Amino acid sequence: MSIKVYVPIDSGSVALGADDVATAIAEKAESTGADVKVVRNGSFGMYWLEPMVEVETDHGRVAYGPVSPDDVDTLFASDFLTGGEHKLYLGRTENIPFLKSQTRLTFQRCGFIDPVSLEDYRKYDGLTGLENALKMTDEEIVTAVTDSGLRGRGGAGFPTGIKWKTVRDAPADQKYIVCNADEGDSGTFADRMIMEGEPFVLIEGMIIAGLATGATKGYVYTRSEYPAAIRIMNEAIEVARAAGVLGDNILGSGKVFDMEVRMGAGAYVCGEETSLLNSMEGKRGVVRAKPPLPALEGFLGRPTVVNNVISLCSVPVILEKGAQYYRDFGMGRSRGTIPIQIAGNVKHGGLYEVGFGLTLGEIVEQIGGGTASGRPVKAVQVGGPLGAYFPKEMFDTPFDYEEFAKRDGLIGHAGVVVFDDTVDLMKQARFAMEFCAIESCGKCTPCRIGSIRGTEVVDKLARGEDPDLQIELLTDLCETMKFGSLCALGGFTPYPVMSALTHFPDDFKPRALDVAAE
Ligand SMILES: Cc1cc2nc3c(=O)[nH]c(=O)nc-3n(C[C@H](O)[C@H](O)[C@H](O)COP(=O)(O)O)c2cc1C
Ligand code: SF4
């Protein structure tokens, strides 16, 4: 039997040279007559070790990384095909501390399987949640999701079960499940990673959402910058359709659900659910006023569940192992696990899934290993471009929706971006306003005009023009944007701005900002 060698196909790994490594291994195997089958798997999310190559041996999967094509000769010479020692030897994959210390419920198979092999997916208990759901009533499924305590992982943290109940209870001839895979937040990649590494779990979650709400059609809306995710999702959908997992007779149950992938152009605001629906309908990506809620009048005016990728991917394990099992992880009202994405200036950047409750300091310093530059951490931005900057003094904040909100921060899509002491927080505050100005859909004044005035005020502050007045103006402007904006783009931009001003006042001294060069 061929020896299986795993080389990730995930775009993060490909960007680091995984395709060349896969080719080099296949060529070397051929030239040496070794019977090797190169399997392209998803990433485990340990990006500082990518491309991480694994070999299936008698004593489990053994990992090496980060591998470059130049290492392939010495790997073969070191008998890596039987798990031999080598300078890049990492031991058994599951024992790598970063992976071993996680609680992987949502990402449980990501990395272990060939993303488009339904056989692999089933081998690791995939589709058990769906099989259980098919034996339940729609109401029972909604109750299980509600009882699990699952809250939307897209940013707002809205209880998923309540959203599903609203759609289930809405009378309509057609309902939809829309998966929000726009993933615009800076430093986030969980949606991409799971779509590229374990697409069947998203398909399974969407079918279960359909069974729970009476929706028979689903869409995955993602961005043009995610071509590999689009390709892999489409391939997996075809495999699922051919196997009778999707279509007119789901696993022989007579139930109906089908889905397709839709691609957006990559506007940040198109991740906002109503703007996303407009984009899907072929309209300009402008935010819609609420009410009506998308749950009642969503895609094409029909009741629609809009859920983030990770919310939907968390559903199969809830149906597989039960609501109580899931809600036993976490703290307070933040139940279950959260795939934290650690990025920026950090030694061990990657995806770390764990129950809610770790402190920010544990995430950045213990798991992330501190900065990649070796300089002291100065600030951490959590929750994407609309998230607050936290100083080290706030490292005791537990990763929990309410605890972050209490400190004027947010978890968002769980992106954690680390900065060392060379960061200039006045520049970051200006950048937040500029980002809002560029990405604003233009529908409401506080955001459309306020963000431009915001950059001007920061510029005046930098030039030393009446600093006290500018700080008063900036604070007032942030209040107006926070309370007067129609959606969270304008409404949350004050978080990075005000946190920078509050926690790093020394950075707001007059000086040349040097922003034109960027
Ligand atoms: C400007 C803006 C951008 C957003 N971008 C995303 C996104 O990329 N992905 C996402 O899932 N939710 C995003 N959201 C949140 C969605 O509007 C919505 O709350 C979410 O898709 C609901 O799914 P959930 O309940 O599963 O989190 C964004 C919101 C705003 C205001
Ligand atoms: S806050 Fe900004 S993005 Fe949101 S609706 Fe208003 S103008 Fe559009």
Side-chain angles (χ1 to χ4, degrees):
M1 209 171 69
S2 309
I3 300 169
K4 278 189 185 164
V5 175
Y6 294 87
V7 185
I9 197 168
D10 142 284
S11 35
S13 314
V14 168
L16 291 162
D19 283 350
D20 292 341
V21 172
T23 307
I25 291 173
E27 284 173 2
K28 183 74 183 173
E30 203 181 329
S31 69
T32 56
D35 186 7
V36 165
K37 182 178 179 211
V38 176
V39 179
R40 303 302 301 269
N41 58 338
S43 172
F44 288 94
M46 298 179 281
Y47 281 107
W48 76 101
L49 297 176
E50 295 291 7
M52 188 178 91
V53 171
E54 293 168 277
V55 183
E56 197 156 273
T57 71
D58 295 342
H59 45 283
R61 277 162 75 154
V62 175
Y64 300 83
V67 176
S68 82
D70 294 342
D71 298 314
V72 170
D73 281 348
T74 57
L75 279 169
F76 273 80
S78 309
D79 284 335
F80 93 117
L81 291 178
T82 54
E85 281 290 343
H86 183 274
K87 65 177 191 310
L88 302 177
Y89 178 82
L90 299 166
R92 286 180 58 178
T93 308
E94 67 224 51
N95 289 338
I96 298 173
F98 189 90
L99 196 58
K100 197 175 179 178
S101 55
Q102 297 187 38
T103 305
R104 288 213 165 190
L105 303 186
T106 307
F107 280 77
Q108 57 179 297
R109 304 170 197 90
C110 192
F112 288 108
I113 61 170
D114 171 351
V116 290
S117 164
L118 196 56
E119 201 187 327
D120 267 15
Y121 186 65
R122 276 187 177 278
K123 204 161 74 192
Y124 284 83
D125 296 329
L127 297 184
T128 315
L130 174 58
E131 282 163 355
N132 290 343
L134 284 167
K135 292 180 211 136
M136 296 160 72
T137 64
D138 53 358
E139 201 175 353
E140 284 167 345
I141 303 173
V142 170
T143 303
V145 173
T146 308
D147 291 349
S148 74
L150 178 66
R151 291 165 73 178
R153 304 291 191 240
F158 188 80
T160 306
I162 293 178
K163 190 181 284 186
W164 287 19
K165 185 177 180 336
T166 310
V167 175
R168 186 192 88 97
D169 292 348
D173 55 346
Q174 178 71 58
K175 302 178 189 180
Y176 297 103
I177 307 297
V178 171
C179 169
N180 188 343
D182 197 55
E183 197 161 55
D185 278 4
S186 41
T188 64
F189 45 86
D191 297 352
R192 178 191 60 68
M193 233 184 86
I194 208 156
M195 287 192 289
E196 292 178 356
E198 201 191 331
F200 291 119
V201 76
L202 177 55
I203 295 172
E204 189 179 349
M206 288 181 70
I207 301 172
I208 296 170
L211 295 174
T213 56
T216 52
K217 181 84 208 220
Y219 297 91
V220 177
Y221 179 95
T222 192
R223 48 182 48 236
S224 57
E225 291 98 325
Y226 277 6
I230 293 168
R231 191 186 69 242
I232 294 168
M233 275 310 309
N234 275 326
E235 209 179 318
I237 288 169
E238 272 182 35
V239 171
R241 215 176 268 143
V245 175
L246 283 170
D248 293 341
N249 189 14
I250 301 164
L251 296 177
S253 66
K255 300 270 173 57
V256 179
F257 190 82
D258 213 335
M259 58 186 280
E260 61 186 84
V261 178
R262 290 286 178 92
M263 186 173 76
Y268 183 69
V269 76
C270 284
E272 191 284 330
E273 57 186 3
T274 61
S275 190
L276 182 156
L277 292 170
N278 274 337
S279 169
M280 271 185 50
E281 290 175 11
K283 299 171 184 155
R284 218 181 104 198
V286 177
V287 173
R288 297 177 185 171
K290 287 190 262 190
L293 291 173
L296 297 173
E297 285 181 44
F299 184 51
L300 302 174
R302 308 292 168 79
T304 304
V305 168
V306 182
N307 266 145
N308 173 253
V309 175
I310 303 302
S311 316
L312 290 161
C313 290
S314 302
V315 167
V317 71
I318 294 168
L319 272 293
E320 182 196 342
K321 301 220 165 117
Q324 191 60 44
Y325 174 84
Y326 191 79
R327 73 170 302 122
D328 277 349
F329 298 95
M331 69 173 279
R333 288 180 49 225
S334 306
R335 309 309 316 172
T337 58
I338 179 86
I340 300 167
Q341 299 125 86
I342 311 171
N345 188 342
V346 69
K347 210 176 276 168
H348 296 157
L351 181 132
Y352 193 90
E353 184 180 347
V354 69
F356 284 92
L358 283 185
T359 66
L360 187 55
E362 285 170 323
I363 295 164
V364 173
E365 282 170 338
Q366 288 170 29
I367 297 157
T371 62
S373 62
R375 299 180 68 92
V377 175
K378 177 166 170 181
V380 181
Q381 189 179 29
V382 182
L386 310 176
Y389 289 95
F390 276 20
K392 268 189 97 155
E393 295 72 53
M394 289 164 78
F395 269 17
D396 60 344
T397 314
F399 216 77
D400 165 275
Y401 292 105
E402 280 66 38
E403 292 295 329
F404 263 71
K406 261 191 234 164
R407 294 180 166 202
D408 286 331
L410 51 114
I411 284 181
H413 188 43
V416 171
V417 180
V418 182
F419 296 84
D420 74 11
D421 61 350
T422 59
V423 69
D424 176 344
L425 269 301
M426 178 151 70
K427 220 159 117 180
Q428 295 304 113
R430 187 191 189 280
F431 171 68
M433 284 292 189
E434 190 187 17
F435 178 82
C436 182
I438 293 169
E439 297 294 335
S440 170
C441 84
K443 182 140 176 168
C444 67
T445 317
C447 168
R448 186 184 67 244
I449 308 286
S451 53
I452 294 181
R453 292 293 93 88
T455 54
E456 292 166 357
V457 172
V458 178
D459 285 344
K460 284 184 191 164
L461 199 50
R463 290 197 298 267
E465 291 176 25
D466 204 344
D468 290 345
L469 176 66
Q470 305 312 335
I471 287 180
E472 201 184 318
L473 270 176
L474 191 60
T475 309
D476 188 58
L477 182 61
C478 281
E479 284 290 295
T480 307
M481 288 175 73
K482 195 168 166 183
F483 296 106
S485 295
L486 185 58
C487 85
L489 180 46
F492 284 18
T493 292
Y495 280 88
V497 177
M498 288 311 295
S499 59
L501 192 56
T502 309
H503 304 307
F504 305 93
D506 290 350
D507 279 16
F508 286 78
K509 299 273 183 313
R511 84 209 115 86
L513 259 191
D514 183 29
V515 284
E518 294 190 358

